[in-house]
Amino acid sequence: MNIKLEESFLRYREEKPFDAITVTAATSGGSCCRIVVPKVRPGMPEGNLANYRVEEAEGITFYITGNLELGPTLTFSHQRLLGRDLLEMRGFIVRHASQV
């Protein structure tokens, strides 16, 4: 698996140092169109690590839930929206919540 870290993500890491990222799956949308999307946060996962795929890139350990279907390349970025820091991951396949 290839992991790409965008400049915005690397700048955020300089501001708030971390050595682990956890990606969990959350559902989003209404009852007719709920989809599974990643939720990205700095730090180690809580609970059983057996539920996560573990990858490393540029000194960061990525714990990625097994509930997401991943493509060959994951891209991580950061943006600040209304004063909140948002970490994003691209490179996963969006699935309807009923397919999980």
Side-chain angles (χ1 to χ4, degrees):
M1 163 146 319
N2 184 28
I3 294 180
K4 179 182 173 191
L5 305 178
E6 291 189 353
E7 286 298 318
S8 60
F9 183 89
L10 296 171
R11 281 193 304 272
Y12 177 71
R13 185 178 183 215
E14 287 178 8
E15 292 174 17
K16 303 189 184 217
F18 53 84
D19 58 4
I21 288 286
T22 297
V23 180
T24 56
T27 56
S28 178
S31 61
C32 69
C33 55
R34 294 178 69 91
I35 59 171
V36 176
V37 295
K39 182 176 179 185
V40 182
R41 67 170 181 80
M44 297 271 303
E46 298 173 5
N48 189 352
L49 293 180
N51 298 328
Y52 292 89
R53 178 178 179 162
V54 180
E55 300 285 340
E56 289 197 36
E58 298 193 37
I60 303 171
T61 304
F62 293 85
Y63 298 91
I64 304 168
T65 180
N67 293 335
L68 291 171
E69 188 175 341
L70 306 176
T73 300
L74 296 179
T75 303
F76 288 86
S77 63
H78 166 265
Q79 65 177 317
R80 193 163 281 137
L81 182 63
L82 299 173
R84 292 191 62 182
D85 291 308
L86 300 172
L87 296 175
E88 297 177 314
M89 180 182 83
R90 292 186 304 280
F92 63 97
I93 297 168
V94 176
R95 292 188 290 174
H96 190 274
S98 66
Q99 296 172 313
V100 176

